[in-house]
Amino acid sequence: VSASEPPASLRPPERLLCGPGPTNVDPRVLAALAKPILGHLDPDFLRALEEVVAMLHAVFRRSDGMAFALSSTGTAGADAGIAALVGPGDTVVVGVAGYFGERLCEMARRHGAEVVKVEVSPGASVPVDRVEEALRAHPEARLLALVHAETSTGVEQPLDGVAALLAGRETLLVLDCVTSLGGVAVEAESWGADYCFSCSQKCIGAPPGLAPVCLSERALARIRGRSRPVSFVFDFELLASYWTSRPPVYHHTAPVNEVYALHEALRLLLEEGLEARFARHADAGAYLQEGLRGRGLELLADPEVQLPQLTAVRVPEGRDGREVQRRLLLEHGIEIGGSLVSTPAWRIGLMGANAERSVADRVLDALDAVLAQV
Ligand SMILES: Cc1ncc(COP(=O)(O)O)c(C=O)c1O
């Protein structure tokens, strides 16, 4: 490639995206990306932002506080929240059931926090009584961080009883909802979650690039009370003055067309209805998991906490897991994920538009064909 001879225009192949995300999106969402670009302060675009805010409140199930999307991915959603809610020397309790819990620890450490880990082996969820013990031993904890859907193992973290543990404490609850939002129920308000972050590219069904978040009044009060401001780019008060204050105050140039895509994806989600959407994910996931078990494959997650939208499958002894992934991609056009934990595994996602039995059948058929060769 040289300046005088630029490369040919991109022609990305059509893939069936059944990894941990991104997932394929509905044609309506792709079409939204191609709508006319507006200025980020145009009144018509501001109306779109307001509608995204309202739809995010509905999807996170949070009536109070704030909801909007960061112009970045789930990783920034995590980092921005931790940065805003803790300071150097603060104690942070983190539930670690896999790779993404571990990353929350690392982020908290980088912001100067003392991390108390509540760790379980891959496949398990974090028992609420272990969290209770940690909070009893560390009443000074400023934050409890849990991964609602641990994408490295396919485990859903039960949250019943967590709000009760935090009642009357100064400990705020942060939830990683990157893989859960739009696929299984998220109840930010009734779970007492003070900060939830997610992504656009998984069960929400939009392209990657935005991180929906929601904050409780308590989280907003803590942010207002900080003695040292956080980074300019992820300052929630400045972001709110663009997303929700009217007239808006410029903070950064929003990725206008990605916001259109998120808007359309959220419209689709609410047209379908939250309950119907969760039922569709539950049905497709259970169908896939039954098919995998029927083929003698073992799943990583304990069955009682298995997520429907993400299934981690142990690579059978003697098989080359990476070669299976490579052939699925190149010979069948199907992407699945590899392992992020020490156990060799494949991670199969049925998220958003792909949460269908017909998609599960395509993955299972292709897997049969590849496993007959590798
Ligand atoms: C549970 C969880 N948290 C955080 C992230 C990071 O999100 P992103 O890749 O959008 O930055 C992911 C991505 O897969 C995830 O699954």
Side-chain angles (χ1 to χ4, degrees), residues 18 153-154 283-301 306-316 319 324 328 334 336-337 345-350 357 359-371:
C18 292
T153 60
D283 178 73
Y287 179 82
L288 171 75
Q289 288 152 13
E290 193 184 300
L292 292 165
R293 279 193 222 95
R295 285 159 172 79
L297 294 165
E298 246 184 89
L299 309 188
L300 197 59
Q306 170 71 66
L307 282 166
Q309 64 269 47
L310 194 286
T311 308
V313 188
R314 288 179 194 273
V315 175
R319 299 275 194 182
V324 170
L328 281 174
I334 298 177
I336 66 167
W346 298 303
R347 291 180 303 138
I348 306 176
L350 296 179
R357 288 186 181 212
V359 175
D361 277 331
R362 282 183 62 189
V363 175
L364 291 167
D365 290 349
L367 203 53
D368 285 341
V370 171
L371 287 177

Side-chain angles (χ1 to χ4, degrees), residues 20 73-75 100 103 147 149-151 176 178-179 197 199 201-202:
T73 69
T75 302
F100 288 100
R103 272 180 25 142
V147 180
E150 178 48 78
T151 325
D176 177 335
V178 169
T179 287
F197 61 94
C199 73
Q201 75 270 16
K202 300 193 195 227

Side-chain angles (χ1 to χ4, degrees), residues 164-178:
L165 294 184
L166 299 180
R169 289 179 186 267
E170 285 300 301
T171 317
L172 300 187
L173 175 62
V174 166
L175 281 188
D176 177 335
C177 299
V178 169

Side-chain angles (χ1 to χ4, degrees), residues 159-286:
L159 289 155
D160 287 344
V162 173
L165 294 184
L166 299 180
R169 289 179 186 267
E170 285 300 301
T171 317
L172 300 187
L173 175 62
V174 166
L175 281 188
D176 177 335
C177 299
V178 169
T179 287
S180 55
L181 195 69
V184 289
V186 169
E187 298 281 346
E189 195 170 338
S190 68
W191 289 343
D194 295 292
Y195 178 71
C196 298
F197 61 94
S198 188
C199 73
S200 46
Q201 75 270 16
K202 300 193 195 227
C203 298
I204 293 289
L210 289 171
V213 299
C214 73
L215 296 95
S216 70
E217 297 292 350
R218 284 198 335 153
L220 292 168
R222 180 174 294 178
I223 291 168
R224 278 193 295 271
R226 284 184 65 97
S227 51
R228 243 167 32 116
V230 292
S231 77
F232 194 92
V233 72
F234 292 127
D235 181 319
F236 285 101
E237 289 181 285
L238 296 180
L239 286 164
S241 60
Y242 171 63
W243 274 86
T244 59
S245 299
R246 295 293 175 262
V249 180
Y250 164 69
H251 173 261
H252 71 284
T253 305
V256 171
N257 298 55
E258 287 191 34
V259 173
Y260 296 163
L262 178 63
H263 184 278
E264 193 62 23
L266 291 169
R267 262 167 42 77
L268 273 162
L269 198 161
L270 294 176
E271 276 172 24
E272 181 176 7
L274 285 168
E275 293 308 322
R277 185 153 179 121
F278 303 151
R280 179 163 61 76
H281 280 80
D283 178 73

